[in-house]
Each structure stands twice: as structure tokens, then as C-alpha cells.
């Protein structure tokens, strides 16, 4: 095993800015290579003896479970803590002390925390690689990686490339860290056309919009959701991040952010539909309606499935594991599994 810097500019994965088009392609190649393990066709024990420290100080279902599942499926072991209540941060322990302590128990750490910049602070005091699983409304690099991986696959199935495609991005663009990381990562591509639509007060931060323009993309704001989704190849919707809202920012409109009627009105029922999930299913939550679930372009569960491949690829990169080591530690699966289609 070679101790090379795992990601560009260091061994931690904190931001999508750590990727170039070629390192992104390398990571996606690794994500393809672990498909037998996500499909339960084979077993891999390449991380035998390695320990993941999983620290989630904000709610999570898919990010935590898919990171942990990815590590376990590569043969590693996992320790985990969730929420402030059950960690010593509830007793006032600093990020730096916590980071140093858990570094002693783990070979790699995955951290989610509600404050922007907190995971970088964690990484500065850690002695093992740290992966940012979301820092407040800052970044969520592993989600952007799985989103772009899914975009490549879904557009590819339609004979299209990501370069030159048209995307509508809808919802709480102000607080949605998945959107911030996604648009920044897509700056590695060419000639994209973004249409954004957000409730008043929840617009895309200027610096994210600027990054897209500097990369040579086009970005325009739509007046309505129907106008936003007309003529696009992909729609990416996000929930309103109520936990980050103050009373004056609560969106006035109830109903759906996006539903089948909007897509029919825009004459775009075939569009690829993405969402980082969770989808807020409470009445008037102003999110993606489940009435789009039987449309042919729905890709939200492809995203969650692809997340496992991407997170395995992230661990292999962070821990400097070669494709050859993976091959040598692969065995047949002696038990039955219901296989994903
Ligand atoms: C997102 C997150 O936590 O940023 N969820 C996820 O990780 N897939 C999106 C959200 O919470 O709205």
C-alpha cells in the first residue's frame, strides 16, 4: 500500500474543489469496479482490520448508512456516534479534542456537523483521513460525486453526455449544500445550461452562481417551476431545509415544489428527475411530489444505490488501496441474496 496524498490537495475529502476532470474519472472508474460488491455478486475483504469512525452530529439516514455499509462491504469494521446528546460534545468537548481522540480509534473518519467549516476544523486536528459528510449549509462532496456519477449514467443511457446538457435546479438553493457542491463540481464540465428556481429568500448564493458563470456555463433564474423545467434534460429538486430557516424565511407557498402536472404543462414528462433525498412527505412541505414516481426518468433511487459505489471508491482512495489489492481479496458469495435489478 502506498501512502500517497489520497485526494488532490491532501488526504482528507472536504470539498469538491479537490477534483479535476481526470481525478473524477478515476474515482468513477473505481466506483464502476466495485459494482460486483454493491450488487452482492461477490465479497471483498480488502479493508480487513481497518476501522471507520462514523460521527454524525446532524440527522442522517442514507449518508451515514451508505458510508457504513460501504466500509463493511469492503471488509472493514465500523464504530459510530450520532447526535450531540450521546457524545462528549454535550459536555463541551471541542472539535479539535474530539478529532484527536477518535483518530486514535480509527483509520478513517466520516464526519457530519451543523456548522460551515466545522469538518475542515475537525480534519486539521485529526491524524487520519477525514471525509466531509456535510458541514451545515456548506458542502456535501460525496453527495455531489454520486449525483454527477448518476448524471453520467442516466444521460449516457439516453446517448447523451453531461457536457452540453440543460439542468433545472429547484428548491431551497440557499441552504441546500448538495446543490452548492453539485454546481461547483459541474464546473469541471463544459457548456452547461442551468435554470434555477427557488422560493423567495432561498435563492442560490451569489458565489455559487458566479462559479458556474466563471466556468463558462449559462445560468438564468426562472419565474415559475413550469418555466424552469421546460426544455431541460434533468431536473434536480431539493427540500426546504426547515431546520436552517428563521421564521421570516419560511416559504409562503404550500403545495408541491414539483409534480406531474408541472412536468405535463412544460411538456417534459420524460425528463430525468433527481433529488438528494430525504423528500419531505408532510402536507404542504413544498417538495417533489410522489406523483412523479412512475415517470420513466425518475432517478432518485439510482442516486441512493450509486451512493454505495461512490462511497466505496472514496474509502479505497482515502486508504490508498489498489485495484489489484481489491482483486486479490475478492471471493465468491456462498449465501443467497435478492439481487438489485
Ligand atoms: C441531504 C443533506 O443532508 O444535505 N441529504 C443527503 O445527504 N442525501 C439533503 C437534505 O438534507 O435535504
Amino acid at each position: 500500500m502506498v501512502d500517497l496524498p489520497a485526494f488532490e490537495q491532501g488526504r482528507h475529502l472536504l470539498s469538491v474543489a479537490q477534483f479535476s476532470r481526470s481525478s473524477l474519472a478515476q474515482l468513477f472508474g473505481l466506483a464502476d469496479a466495485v459494482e460486483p460488491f454493491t450488487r452482492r455478486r461477490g465479497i471483498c475483504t480488502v479493508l480487513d482490520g481497518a476501522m471507520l469512525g462514523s460521527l454524525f452530529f446532524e440527522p442522517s439516514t442514507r449518508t451515514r448508512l451508505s458510508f457504513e455499509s460501504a466500509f463493511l462491504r469492503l471488509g472493514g469494521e465500523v464504530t459510530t456516534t450520532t447526535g450531540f446528546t450521546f457524545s462528549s460534545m454535550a459536555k463541551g468537548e471541542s472539535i479539535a479534542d474530539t478529532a484527536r481522540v477518535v483518530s486514535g480509534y480509527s483509520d478513517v473518519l466520516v464526519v457530519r456537523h451543523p456548522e460551515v467549516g466545522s469538518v475542515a476544523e475537525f480534519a486539521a486536528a485529526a491524524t487520519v483521513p477525514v471525509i466531509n459528510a456535510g458541514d451545515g449549509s456548506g458542502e456535501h462532496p460525496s453527495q455531489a460525486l454520486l449525483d454527477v456519477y448518476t448524471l453520467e449514467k442516466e444521460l449516457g443511457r439516453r446517448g447523451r453526455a453531461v457536457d452540453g446538457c440543460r439542468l433545472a435546479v429547484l428548491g431551497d438553493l440557499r441552504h441546500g449544500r448538495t446543490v452548492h457542491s453539485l454546481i461547483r463540481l459541474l464546473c469541471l464540465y463544459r457548456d452547461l445550461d442551468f435554470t434555477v428556481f427557488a422560493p423567495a429568500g432561498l435563492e442560490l448564493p451569489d458565489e455559487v452562481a458566479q462559479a458556474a458563470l466563471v466556468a463558462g456555463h449559462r445560468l438564468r433564474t426562472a419565474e415559475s417551476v413550469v418555466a424552469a423545467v421546460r426544455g431541460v434534460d434533468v431536473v434536480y429538486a431539493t427540500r426546504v431545509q426547515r431546520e436552517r430557516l428563521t421564521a421570516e424565511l419560511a416559504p409562503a407557498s404550500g403545495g408541491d415544489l414539483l409534480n406531474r402536472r408541472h412536468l405535463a404543462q412544460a411538456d417534459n414528462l420524460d425528463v430525468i428527475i433527481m433529488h438528494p433525498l430525504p423528500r419531505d412527505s408532510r402536507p404542504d412541505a413544498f417538495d417533489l411530489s410522489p406523483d412523479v414516481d412512475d415517470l420513466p426518468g425518475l432517478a432518485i433511487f439510482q442516486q441512493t444505490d450509486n451512493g454505495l459505489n461512490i462511497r466505496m471508491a472514496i474509502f479505497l482512495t482515502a486508504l490508498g488501496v489498489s485495484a489489484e489489492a481489491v482483486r486479490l481479496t475478492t471471493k465468491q458469495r456462498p449465501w443467497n441474496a435478492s439481487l438489485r435489478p
Side-chain angles (χ1 to χ4, degrees):
M1 219 148 78
V2 205
D3 192 12
L4 292 172
F7 300 100
E8 292 183 24
Q9 298 127 44
R11 52 202 316 237
H12 307 296
L13 175 54
L14 300 174
S15 163
V16 292
Q18 289 171 259
F19 286 89
S20 59
R21 192 75 184 251
S22 74
S23 61
L24 191 64
Q26 255 175 21
L27 188 93
F28 289 174
L30 261 181
D32 287 340
V34 296
E35 186 76 1
F37 317 124
T38 58
R39 297 258 172 180
R40 315 309 266 148
R41 298 216 169 93
I43 296 175
C44 179
T45 55
V46 75
L47 294 188
D48 187 19
M51 180 70 82
L52 167 68
S54 162
L55 293 95
F56 278 73
F57 301 109
E58 260 195 342
S60 173
T61 301
R62 73 223 83 234
T63 305
R64 183 168 72 85
L65 293 185
S66 65
F67 265 122
E68 294 179 359
S69 177
F71 207 79
L72 290 163
R73 286 196 197 185
L74 290 170
E77 291 176 79
V78 176
T79 53
T80 186
T81 183
T82 54
F84 286 105
T85 324
F86 297 107
S87 87
S88 280
M89 284 200 180
K91 301 179 190 169
E93 186 162 55
S94 69
I95 287 184
D97 283 0
T98 308
R100 173 60 191 87
V101 169
V102 295
S103 293
Y105 309 148
S106 320
D107 301 294
V108 56
L109 297 166
V110 172
V111 183
R112 170 173 284 190
H113 190 282
E115 276 153 40
V116 177
S118 53
V119 182
E121 194 184 330
F122 205 98
T127 59
V128 297
V130 172
I131 294 158
N132 180 2
D135 60 326
S137 52
E139 278 227 38
H140 193 345
S142 66
Q143 179 71 40
L145 290 165
L146 77 87
D147 286 342
V148 175
Y149 184 66
T150 304
L151 261 178
E152 286 211 354
K153 288 201 175 303
E154 296 304 307
L155 284 163
R157 289 199 306 160
R158 296 174 175 213
R160 299 282 314 275
V162 176
D163 288 316
C165 82
R166 293 158 299 175
L167 296 102
V169 188
L170 320 174
D172 182 352
L173 308 185
R174 174 171 175 174
H175 301 104
R177 56 191 170 200
T178 69
V179 166
H180 305 166
S181 288
L182 175 65
I183 294 180
R184 288 185 191 281
L185 189 57
L186 286 173
C187 289
L188 296 176
Y189 288 77
R190 282 188 306 278
D191 194 29
L192 303 185
D193 208 304
F194 290 105
T195 310
V196 294
F197 173 76
L202 303 183
E203 291 88 359
L204 192 67
D206 274 349
E207 63 274 18
V208 181
Q210 276 307 319
L213 297 175
V214 168
H217 301 323
R218 288 167 300 281
L219 189 142
R220 71 181 174 88
T221 303
E223 292 302 314
S224 69
V225 69
V226 175
V229 299
R230 184 167 286 128
V232 298
D233 306 300
V234 181
V235 51
Y236 188 98
T238 60
R239 76 184 170 93
V240 176
Q241 309 254 311
R242 295 186 192 277
E243 68 278 25
R244 305 191 207 284
L245 294 184
T246 51
E248 71 274 14
L249 280 180
S253 51
D256 299 321
L257 169 66
L258 179 69
N259 59 31
R260 196 182 186 105
R261 184 174 46 81
H262 296 133
L263 292 173
Q265 277 175 14
D267 199 18
N268 204 358
L269 282 167
D270 283 346
V271 69
I272 295 169
I273 303 170
M274 295 176 62
H275 190 302
L277 303 182
R279 171 164 55 170
D280 192 339
S281 62
R282 291 169 290 192
D284 281 339
F286 201 60
D287 204 341
L288 179 67
S289 165
D291 75 358
V292 302
D293 285 9
D294 59 352
L295 292 178
L298 189 85
I300 61 180
F301 300 116
Q302 278 87 331
Q303 286 171 271
T304 54
D305 284 348
N306 289 338
L308 206 49
N309 297 58
I310 287 293
R311 289 175 172 130
M312 283 187 185
I314 288 173
F315 287 131
L316 295 176
T317 306
L319 294 170
V321 180
S322 67
E324 179 61 3
V326 172
R327 201 185 58 76
L328 290 172
T329 50
T330 297
K331 8 181 227 196
Q332 293 259 308
R333 172 179 53 83
W335 37 267
N336 282 323
S338 59
L339 296 179
R340 248 160 61 186

